[in-house]
Amino acid sequence: MKKITMTRKELEEFAVRNWDFQKTSLRRMSTLFLAQLLQMKLQNDRRVHLMAREVQCLENDNRVHRFFNQGDGPAGRLQEWIVFKTHNGTKYYLTMASLDEGDGSINRRVHDACDFDFPFLQAAA
């Protein structure tokens, strides 16, 4: 895949143009999470709209949300998670993850997202 470079501001502008995110929500999404959404969009992954819509659902709901495979394997098999952390009653969206990638990889991305965008979340851990 061809690599592209975008600033945080460009990622936010892309998200505003493509999904119904409010500006307050974008400030609580890691740069990594926004880049993952962009990558899904560039790969024509139709699940990108489900992910974007799910963030809006998570804003009003405290249950764990997850996406299920729809036709690409065993029915009902867990595929992706939106990993977020709550701090002072506010959700911060860190990364997307799948079960088959392993905890170490997911934990590194969560740590990187916190370090880069939300250092106060590291202290609250």
Side-chain angles (χ1 to χ4, degrees):
M1 173 181 282
K2 182 180 176 184
K3 290 188 177 189
I4 59 172
T5 303
M6 295 180 78
T7 65
R8 168 75 191 207
K9 182 176 167 110
E10 289 169 324
L11 284 169
E12 287 179 358
E13 289 169 358
F14 180 84
V16 166
R17 282 192 314 271
N18 285 277
W19 304 291
D20 189 24
F21 290 137
Q22 298 180 17
K23 294 252 183 223
T24 54
S25 295
L26 291 174
R27 287 192 299 263
R28 292 184 285 111
M29 292 180 192
S30 73
T31 303
L32 172 62
F33 184 78
L34 291 171
Q36 287 175 307
L37 287 171
L38 171 63
Q39 183 178 28
M40 288 178 81
K41 174 75 173 174
L42 293 175
Q43 292 174 343
N44 293 318
D45 189 330
R46 63 184 184 264
R47 295 171 303 158
V48 68
H49 296 291
L50 294 172
M51 290 289 197
R53 195 171 338 130
E54 193 66 14
V55 169
Q56 296 303 327
C57 292
L58 281 165
E59 285 294 292
N60 300 311
D61 192 343
N62 288 318
R63 291 178 293 168
V64 174
H65 287 243
R66 57 191 180 235
F67 293 94
F68 290 93
N69 190 340
Q70 296 181 4
D72 296 344
R77 183 172 166 210
L78 184 61
Q79 293 297 305
E80 283 90 20
W81 292 346
I82 294 175
V83 181
F84 65 92
K85 190 167 189 175
T86 303
H87 178 67
N88 291 337
T90 302
K91 292 182 182 86
Y92 294 85
Y93 302 92
L94 305 174
T95 189
M96 285 184 268
S98 64
L99 274 182
D100 61 356
E101 69 180 288
D103 291 346
S105 176
I106 297 167
N107 288 335
R108 277 190 296 282
R109 283 200 316 276
V110 166
H111 182 78
D112 289 346
C114 288
D115 279 352
F116 189 75
D117 291 306
F118 313 116
F120 58 91
L121 292 178
Q122 292 286 26

